[in-house]
């Protein structure tokens, strides 16, 4: 099962996110990732494996910031690997974690690729982040997009997406 953790704080958020993922480890997962926003930029780390592997990456490459998301993934679309781990990004402007299944992801992927979006994973979740980016690029704000979710996507989902400012 997937696990999603999000936090906004007045201190470094990375350890809070990792602690949250550790609390969800009992649920089972095959990969983990984190995205942190700092000074208007998004940074992320992802790995196949356990939260301890993600912690090792964070020890090597700290991601300081005050707002972030983290995710553990149980593969439903695409094999367990780093490319398929969450968070996914669109043009390094929006990072997103997603829990659920987008049933018409192949159709949406084809439409987004025709619009110039490049995909680096096999997941249905990456379709969501590019779809959100496309809608934001058209002038929609994240609050109205979330109210209208699942847009033209079919399936059941939970989504959280911080946006670089």
């Amino acid at each position: 099962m997937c696990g999603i953790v999000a936090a906004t704080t007045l201190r470094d958020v990375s350890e809070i996110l990792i602690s949250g993922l550790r609390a969800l480890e009992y649920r089972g997962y095959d990969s983990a990732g984190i995205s942190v926003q700092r000074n208007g930029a998004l940074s992320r780390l992802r790995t196949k494996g356990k939260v301890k592997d993600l912690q090792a990456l964070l020890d090597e490459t700290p991601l300081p910031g005050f707002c972030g998301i983290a995710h553990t993934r149980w593969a439903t679309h695409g094999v367990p690997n780093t490319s398929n781990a969450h968070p996914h990004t669109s043009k390094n402007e929006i990072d997103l974690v997603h829990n659920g299944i987008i049933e018409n992801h192949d159709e949406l992927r084809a439409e987004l690729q025709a619009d110039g979006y490049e995909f680096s994973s096999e997941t249905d979740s990456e379709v969501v982040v590019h779809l959100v980016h496309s809608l934001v690029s058209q002038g929609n704000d994240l609050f109205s997009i979330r109210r209208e979710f699942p847009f033209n996507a079919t399936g059941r989902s939970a989504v959280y997406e911080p946006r670089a400012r």
Side-chain angles (χ1 to χ4, degrees):
M1 273 184 103
C2 299
I4 296 173
V5 179
T8 300
T9 69
L10 296 176
R11 62 186 178 98
D12 183 45
V13 74
S14 294
E15 187 51 44
I16 294 167
L17 296 172
I18 291 295
S19 178
L21 290 182
R22 283 190 187 116
L24 297 173
E25 284 189 292
Y26 72 93
R27 300 175 70 165
Y29 62 99
D30 55 49
S31 59
I34 184 173
S35 173
V36 173
Q37 182 183 37
R38 180 180 177 150
N39 297 330
L42 296 170
S43 300
R44 70 185 171 129
L45 290 173
R46 304 175 300 160
T47 188
K48 176 184 174 185
K50 301 296 180 186
V51 173
K52 68 179 181 175
D53 302 316
L54 182 60
Q55 179 67 65
L57 285 175
L58 276 169
D59 290 344
E60 292 174 18
T61 310
L63 297 182
F66 304 108
C67 177
I69 54 175
H71 189 273
T72 54
R73 174 182 182 259
W74 187 261
T76 55
H77 290 92
V79 299
N81 63 27
T82 299
S83 295
N84 289 333
H86 296 221
H88 291 289
T89 192
S90 186
K91 302 188 187 272
N92 222 19
E93 296 175 8
I94 297 176
D95 285 5
L96 176 140
V97 297
H98 166 251
N99 188 7
I101 295 176
I102 305 298
E103 294 168 356
N104 62 336
H105 67 94
D106 287 331
E107 172 190 328
L108 293 171
R109 180 183 297 259
E111 290 173 16
L112 289 161
Q113 285 173 322
D115 288 342
Y117 285 90
E118 295 181 15
F119 287 78
S120 61
S121 80
E122 303 166 323
T123 68
D124 58 339
S125 299
E126 190 179 11
V127 168
V128 178
V129 73
H130 290 311
L131 187 55
V132 169
H133 184 275
S134 174
L135 292 167
V136 168
S137 297
Q138 296 169 28
N140 297 288
D141 65 83
L142 289 177
F143 293 110
S144 64
I145 291 170
R146 294 214 42 208
R147 277 192 304 271
E148 297 168 18
F149 191 80
F151 326 103
N152 53 351
T154 57
R156 293 187 171 263
S157 302
V159 178
Y160 181 78
E161 68 283 323
R163 180 178 179 198
R165 296 175 195 221

